[in-house]
Amino acid sequence: MNEDIDGTELTCQQIIDFMMAYLDGELPVREREIFERHLTICPDCVNYLSSYRTTLKLPQEALSPALLPEGALPESLVRAILAARTKP
Amino acid sequence: MEGTLFQSTAEGWASDESLLVKRLRAGDAEAFEALVRIHGPRMLSVIRRLLPLDQDSFDALQDAFVCAFKAIDQFQGDSALATWLHRIAVNAALMRLRSMKRQAERAIEDLLPRFTDDGHRDPVGCAWAIAQDTSVIDNETRQLVRKCIDQLPESYRVVLVLRDIEERSTEETAELLALSVANVKTRLHRARQALRELLDPYLGEVG
């Protein structure tokens, strides 16, 4: 992740290593160009990038507060919480 | 009868937050019970993202409410009560995580993509059937994502939850977990890769 990109070509493994930095806009211009050039010739990395982007969004979609399951707390837990309030 | 009366009072407080806060500040026992019944279930769900086991999450919820009861005078009303309680719940879960003896966890390397000696992915994957810009996912996919997040090693799951669900900044996450910023970035990238690998058999198109 923190290593520099050497040379003018990247392997798929390096592309994946640098993917987060690429998406966060943290790659310098030259490295970004090398990264994007690889994408023009490698459908597997294009697929990986697409699924990685989806992976960033799915947790928020699956666990956003508005979608959390609602239901009553166990009665014993409610009692324990209320009892804890009055403890010194 | 008493239950019905309490329920209607609690419903009233749920719709009139300022009245509930006023009663909490006055030390009204019924208001504390209403707070627990109205906000407890959602707070427990938030805590369970970080502490999936029942007993741990119940203990953290209790810690969170004790903290909220003590700090209610400091609640300024700048945000909704639910937002304030959400933050307290996350902090209580993190405190509990820190105090727990670290369990041996699954090695993240087992969940990362594999590569050939010349740096190609092995095996080569395929496109996902789900659109990356989707804003609505079905219930089945939601359950799948939750199940896969739960399979992440704890030290990676916590970073993913704070960054990609709680939307805390890298710097804030580093401070909350007593990690360096670089370490948070590394863990987040690995957690995302691992989650992608866990989801891949279900979301990857055939062929």
Side-chain angles (χ1 to χ4, degrees):
Chain A
M1 288 278 296
N2 293 322
E3 42 189 306
D4 293 328
I5 297 176
D6 294 322
T8 56
E9 298 299 333
L10 290 174
T11 65
C12 299
Q13 185 168 6
Q14 288 170 313
I15 287 289
I16 290 173
D17 283 346
F18 288 106
M19 200 159 273
M20 190 167 90
Y22 172 75
L23 291 174
D24 288 345
E26 290 178 354
L27 284 188
V29 175
R30 180 175 163 274
E31 281 77 0
R32 189 174 184 85
E33 284 171 3
I34 297 170
F35 189 102
E36 289 176 343
R37 192 163 62 236
H38 181 100
L39 293 179
T40 64
I41 57 163
C42 182
D44 187 43
C45 284
V46 171
N47 284 341
Y48 193 95
L49 177 61
S50 173
S51 58
Y52 185 93
R53 277 187 163 131
T54 304
T55 304
L56 305 194
K57 293 178 181 168
L58 286 176
Q60 180 62 247
E61 294 290 333
L63 290 159
S64 72
L67 295 169
L68 289 174
E70 300 276 354
L73 295 176
E75 197 54 32
S76 58
L77 180 57
V78 173
R79 295 287 141 215
I81 291 168
L82 294 173
R85 182 177 82 87
T86 52
K87 277 185 192 160
Chain B
M1 189 66 188
E2 259 183 39
T4 313
L5 183 62
F6 175 81
Q7 198 176 354
S8 67
T9 310
E11 280 166 8
W13 280 333
S15 60
D16 188 350
E17 200 167 280
S18 60
L19 178 62
L20 175 60
V21 172
K22 197 173 162 189
R23 298 310 307 156
L24 289 167
R25 286 184 176 146
D28 182 333
E30 269 195 25
F32 284 107
E33 183 168 347
L35 185 78
V36 173
R37 292 192 188 280
I38 295 166
H39 294 279
R42 182 162 291 189
M43 289 167 73
L44 183 62
S45 297
V46 169
I47 289 169
R48 276 198 166 126
R49 295 169 180 167
L50 295 160
L51 296 166
L53 294 181
D54 269 356
Q55 194 51 55
D56 298 336
S57 60
F58 289 176
D59 289 346
L61 182 66
Q62 186 167 318
D63 296 345
F65 272 115
V66 168
C67 174
F69 294 159
K70 282 182 184 162
I72 191 65
D73 285 338
Q74 292 160 32
F75 174 67
Q76 300 294 318
D78 301 335
S79 60
L81 191 55
T83 308
W84 183 69
L85 291 169
H86 179 113
R87 231 173 158 80
I88 290 176
V90 170
N91 289 338
L94 291 174
M95 290 290 284
R96 182 70 48 180
L97 262 179
R98 272 191 220 122
S99 68
M100 285 162 57
K101 197 173 173 186
R102 171 92 7 130
Q103 304 287 318
E105 57 182 29
R106 185 176 182 180
I108 192 77
E109 286 75 16
D110 295 346
L111 297 170
L112 297 179
R114 295 181 187 285
F115 298 92
T116 58
D117 289 343
D118 59 354
H120 289 95
R121 204 148 61 97
D122 182 25
V124 170
C126 49
W128 279 10
I130 189 169
Q132 67 175 265
D133 59 350
T134 184
S135 58
V136 180
I137 57 173
D138 60 38
N139 198 43
E140 195 182 340
T141 306
R142 196 169 294 131
Q143 296 298 333
L144 171 69
V145 174
R146 286 179 189 163
K147 194 180 92 179
C148 291
I149 290 173
D150 283 348
Q151 289 178 56
L152 295 175
E154 179 193 294
S155 53
Y156 293 84
R157 189 183 70 246
V158 171
V159 172
L160 184 112
V161 167
L162 290 174
R163 287 286 287 109
D164 286 349
I165 299 174
E166 294 293 326
E167 296 182 302
R168 302 292 180 100
S169 69
T170 304
E171 288 73 16
E172 195 180 359
T173 302
E175 196 177 324
L176 283 167
L177 300 176
L179 296 170
S180 68
V181 165
N183 204 337
V184 168
K185 287 184 178 183
T186 302
R187 286 195 197 190
L188 177 62
H189 186 42
R190 287 184 178 173
R192 287 170 173 175
Q193 288 179 80
L195 180 59
R196 202 215 72 88
E197 292 299 309
L198 288 165
L199 291 167
D200 194 47
Y202 304 97
L203 300 182
E205 286 173 336
V206 177

